[in-house]
Amino acid sequence: KDSSGITALRVLRLFRVLRILKVIRHSKQLILILQVLKQSCRELLLLVVMWAMGVVTFGSIMYYIEEDQPDSEFNSILKACWWAVVTMSTVGYGDLYPTSVPGKLVGSVVVFLSMVFMALPMTIIVSKFSRAYEEMKEPNQMVSGGLEEQQGSQLSINGKPDVETGNDKLHPPGHNSTSL
């Protein structure tokens, strides 16, 4: 009867849940994750392309291997691609599974290669995250460690090392500090 009004209210209530996204603005770690994901767009695109190629390739292979089996449920390439999606994501619902020996061998290869497909781009993303995390921590270290560095390097007005302290950090080894 008045289901459109109730549906509209439910949708509006759903938007209240999205308010949790405002928390991101107040968390440095969540902002860091978003920045790393933004910087890793190429790697994520590579992951999606490699994964899609694997789904289509292994789904097609599995369909042609299993299509003539009597107990097989692989009756279309789309169903076989669904099997590949579930298998490559390591979810493994169990709704589709190979029944022949060659199909089981291909399934084993798919599971192994899917881990490789996921791991290669992920290592790049993790290294970017690690680097960004260290850069985020550096300003905190500079505030605490910066004062000691300034006190340790006492220079005279002309930029040469202070004679009283003997501090010669400004000039590299073998540099003649007496000449102008």
Side-chain angles (χ1 to χ4, degrees), residues 72-87:
S72 178
E73 293 187 30
F74 290 93
N75 50 13
S76 72
I77 289 182
L78 280 177
K79 269 194 168 181
C81 285
W82 170 249
W83 168 84
V85 165
V86 170
T87 304

Side-chain angles (χ1 to χ4, degrees), residues 46-118:
L46 174 68
L47 175 67
V48 168
V49 168
M50 287 175 57
W51 195 70
M53 287 173 36
V55 164
V56 171
T57 302
F58 291 121
S60 299
I61 290 171
M62 188 58 73
Y63 170 73
Y64 288 115
I65 288 175
E66 291 286 320
E67 72 177 333
D68 295 331
Q69 297 298 319
D71 297 340
S72 178
E73 293 187 30
F74 290 93
N75 50 13
S76 72
I77 289 182
L78 280 177
K79 269 194 168 181
C81 285
W82 170 249
W83 168 84
V85 165
V86 170
T87 304
M88 289 181 71
S89 63
T90 65
V91 173
Y93 289 130
D95 54 347
L96 290 174
Y97 51 89
T99 56
S100 67
V101 173
K104 291 176 182 178
L105 289 174
V106 168
S108 299
V109 170
V110 169
V111 168
F112 175 74
L113 288 180
S114 66
M115 289 186 276
V116 173
F117 284 161
M118 295 289 204

Side-chain angles (χ1 to χ4, degrees), residues 118-135:
M118 295 289 204
L120 289 176
M122 284 299 154
T123 56
I124 298 168
I125 294 169
V126 167
S127 69
K128 282 187 177 187
F129 178 78
S130 177
R131 193 172 339 142
Y133 185 72
E134 289 300 319
E135 288 173 3

